[in-house]
Amino acid sequence: YFLGLAASHQAKVTVWAFQLYPTYSFYRFDQGVIAAMYPTTTLKKDVPAFLALPGSKPWQFVETDIAELLKTSKPVALGDLPLQ
C-alpha cells in the first residue's frame, strides 16, 4: 500500500526505515497527526485512533517521538523498496 502511495505522490510521501520500533502507527500531516495504538495481546479487537492537533500535548508527544526516531532512521528510495 505505502509503496503505491509513495509512487503516486513522490513529492509528498517519504518512506523511512527505523532503527527503533514505534509501539503505535502514526501519519503526520501539516494539520495534525493521526495515531493508532497496537494491541498488546493476540485478542482480535478494534484499536483506538487519535487525532492530535498542533500545539496539543498529544501532538507534542508524537513530534518528540518522531524527532527521536529520525535521529537513527533514513529515508528509503523507491527503487530500494521490494515490489509486490
Side-chain angles (χ1 to χ4, degrees):
Y1 172 79
F2 295 105
L3 177 60
L5 187 62
S8 298
H9 305 281
Q10 290 182 26
K12 298 179 182 180
V13 175
T14 305
V15 177
W16 288 79
F18 295 115
Q19 294 288 330
L20 302 170
Y21 187 78
T23 57
Y24 57 95
S25 296
F26 60 87
Y27 305 90
R28 187 183 183 286
F29 304 94
D30 292 339
Q31 310 90 332
V33 171
I34 297 174
M37 300 174 72
Y38 292 136
T40 55
T41 66
T42 57
L43 181 64
K44 299 284 185 188
K45 56 186 169 185
D46 293 334
V47 297
F50 305 93
L51 170 62
L53 300 175
S56 68
K57 288 187 182 212
W59 170 274
Q60 293 168 356
F61 173 86
V62 174
E63 285 290 288
T64 300
D65 246 21
I66 291 171
E68 289 298 313
L69 286 169
L70 292 178
K71 287 179 183 178
T72 60
S73 305
K74 64 178 184 170
V76 178
L78 286 180
D80 293 338
L81 293 172
L83 298 175
Q84 299 279 337

